[in-house]
Amino acid sequence: MIMWALLALVLTADDCQEAQALGRKAYEARQYEQAAQQFARALESCGVGAPLLLALGQAQLLAQHPAEALTTLDRIPPSDAEYPAALKVRAKALYLLHRDAEAVDSLKLG
């Protein structure tokens, strides 16, 4: 039983690293839909973390999915070091959603 649990942890860690690497590669190639899919997969394998949420939110925004990006970025807590960067991406998403006043407020917080 313990052996299977350890094997599952190793496979999950491998999937986590692979998904992140594929996400970065797709992002660098400006394939933002694929990047978003890989970063979402990484979140499932690695667990929720602000750097992955920020990467996913940026990819979603660049893939022209500002509402999804906004939902993702809102999961980053204000106490996290990534929060100021997330606010800037969040402001861009709000602007694309024609929520200009909220976008300005988001920038003021950052």
Side-chain angles (χ1 to χ4, degrees):
M1 183 74 161
I2 293 174
M3 184 68 125
W4 290 111
L6 289 174
L7 181 60
L9 282 174
V10 169
L11 292 176
T12 300
D14 287 346
D15 189 50
C16 169
Q17 292 175 352
E18 178 187 30
Q20 287 183 70
L22 290 172
R24 284 191 298 270
K25 185 176 180 180
Y27 190 92
E28 290 169 2
R30 297 183 177 167
Q31 297 170 337
Y32 302 117
E33 290 281 350
Q34 290 176 347
Q37 290 171 359
Q38 292 301 327
F39 288 136
R41 184 177 134 218
L43 278 170
E44 291 174 10
S45 299
C46 306
V48 175
L52 271 178
L53 288 169
L54 180 57
L56 175 58
Q58 289 173 322
Q60 289 169 325
L61 180 66
L62 291 168
Q64 301 300 310
H65 301 292
E68 290 175 23
L70 193 56
T71 299
T72 298
L73 296 165
D74 283 345
R75 295 172 60 192
I76 299 175
S79 60
D80 196 282
E82 298 291 345
Y83 190 69
L87 286 174
K88 292 175 184 174
V89 179
R90 187 179 186 280
K92 291 175 188 174
L94 288 165
Y95 175 77
L96 291 174
L97 292 169
H98 307 288
R99 295 166 54 183
D100 298 352
E102 291 175 81
V104 170
D105 289 343
S106 189
L107 288 174
K108 288 179 184 176
L109 291 172

